[in-house]
Amino acid sequence: MNTESKTDAPAQPELVEQVRRLGPWFHNIEVAPGIFTKEIAPAPGPQPLNHPEPRWEKVKSALPEDMTGMSVLDAGCSDGFFSIKMAGRGASRILAVDGAAEPIKRMNWVIDHFGLENVEAKVQMLDRSSARKLGKFDLVFAMAVFYHMRDPITGIEMLASLGDRLLLETIVVPDHRDTYFKVKQPGGERGVPRLIPSTACLEMLMRWAGYDEITQLTDESDSRPIYLCVRNRPGS
Ligand SMILES: C[S@@+](CC[C@H](N)C(=O)[O-])C[C@H]1O[C@@H](n2cnc3c(N)ncnc32)[C@H](O)[C@@H]1O
């Protein structure tokens, strides 16, 4: 799939203005040579300006170079950086969902800008009931979304119901021995407390959800580990 911009794409000043109006951007997407979304209108937060390129560097070798024939669910896609990368590898169908409307608006603009026919983005808060209507995917791609789920047990069960292969990046308490959740204080007045699993707890949850092949792609001490989880006995 071609991720070069369409030939009828707007001229540079107009393009920059469109990007600025759609912002602020969480993802830094190159929409034309040298024109990056987040550099024009960055979202506030601790992420670097080139977010999430460093995360893509960590996961890309775990994905097939040629994803032709694969269906992918990009869960909590935000502005769609990862979907665009996987579209570039030829994935046949990508459904990108996010519970928030603003990133989906930006992503739909990107889809249109690049003329991506096999990527669909929609506002969808993933939970057990909405997941049942989505069907199954060859790959469930869940970067930085699992820790947003109020209940990690229901969350992993829901992600596992969507397919037999899961790429999961999340926050853990780096502890490979004991299984527990740490309750993390919410930021701001209305923030919801988060249940952060220890590494051992997360791995236990993944096995419980039915994955029998669990590969950690990051190094042992990483507090943002990335896992490739495969269920070789579908339906188990
Ligand atoms: C920290 S951002 C991560 C975005 C992107 N996956 C990445 O790694 O850069 C989390 C995103 O997940 C979305 N989100 C949180 N909970 C969700 C849920 N249950 N279903 C769908 N989207 C969700 C948020 O709106 C937000 O855009």
Side-chain angles (χ1 to χ4, degrees):
M1 190 179 293
N2 182 18
T3 52
E4 299 290 310
S5 56
K6 290 186 294 188
T7 46
D8 59 352
Q12 273 207 15
E14 169 59 13
L15 183 61
V16 170
E17 193 42 39
Q18 285 186 14
V19 168
R20 194 187 314 282
R21 276 201 300 268
L22 284 160
W25 292 77
F26 188 64
H27 284 169
N28 200 33
I29 299 167
E30 189 170 23
V31 291
I35 301 186
F36 291 85
T37 52
K38 200 170 172 168
E39 288 177 12
I40 294 169
Q47 291 76 21
L49 206 54
N50 65 347
H51 180 72
E53 183 74 42
R55 292 217 188 123
W56 173 247
E57 288 301 316
K58 288 184 182 178
V59 296
K60 65 181 190 185
S61 59
L63 301 176
E65 282 284 347
D66 181 0
M67 295 178 75
T68 305
M70 285 181 77
S71 59
V72 180
L73 176 70
D74 186 353
C77 57
S78 188
D79 303 336
F81 178 97
F82 296 107
S83 286
I84 294 156
K85 290 289 187 190
M86 291 186 277
R89 288 187 173 204
S92 297
R93 178 183 170 238
I94 300 175
L95 176 63
V97 299
D98 199 289
E102 284 302 310
I104 293 300
K105 195 170 150 195
R106 289 190 285 275
M107 185 166 177
N108 274 321
W109 178 87
V110 172
I111 289 171
D112 185 53
H113 175 71
F114 287 123
L116 302 176
E117 287 171 3
N118 297 341
V119 186
E120 180 193 355
K122 63 176 183 181
V123 180
Q124 172 101 72
M125 187 57 95
L126 279 176
D127 55 28
R128 270 211 291 211
S129 117
S130 63
R132 269 196 284 274
K133 297 174 194 137
L134 294 179
K136 303 262 186 214
F137 298 83
D138 297 315
L139 174 69
V140 177
F141 191 89
M143 292 286 276
V145 68
F146 180 62
Y147 60 83
H148 285 283
M149 294 175 185
R150 290 190 182 205
D151 171 2
I153 298 178
T154 314
I156 194 82
E157 193 177 32
M158 182 266 291
L159 291 171
S161 75
L162 290 160
D164 296 323
R165 183 174 286 260
L166 168 69
L167 202 136
L168 180 83
E169 188 261 19
T170 194
I171 301 175
V172 294
V173 180
D175 181 346
H176 289 264
R177 293 198 324 198
D178 292 335
T179 53
Y180 55 86
F181 292 104
K182 179 179 173 188
V183 182
K184 195 164 171 248
Q185 285 295 313
E189 277 175 24
R190 290 170 54 239
V192 179
R194 286 180 183 164
L195 289 175
I196 306 298
S198 65
T199 319
C201 177
L202 179 63
E203 292 180 0
M204 182 199 73
L205 289 180
M206 294 187 296
R207 280 193 298 278
W208 170 78
Y211 299 109
D212 48 310
E213 204 182 299
I214 297 168
T215 311
Q216 189 172 344
L217 306 175
T218 40
D219 77 54
E220 297 279 293
S221 60
D222 206 321
S223 63
R224 300 286 301 241
I226 304 174
Y227 289 92
L228 182 63
C229 310
V230 180
R231 184 167 41 212
N232 290 302
R233 290 166 281 118
S236 62

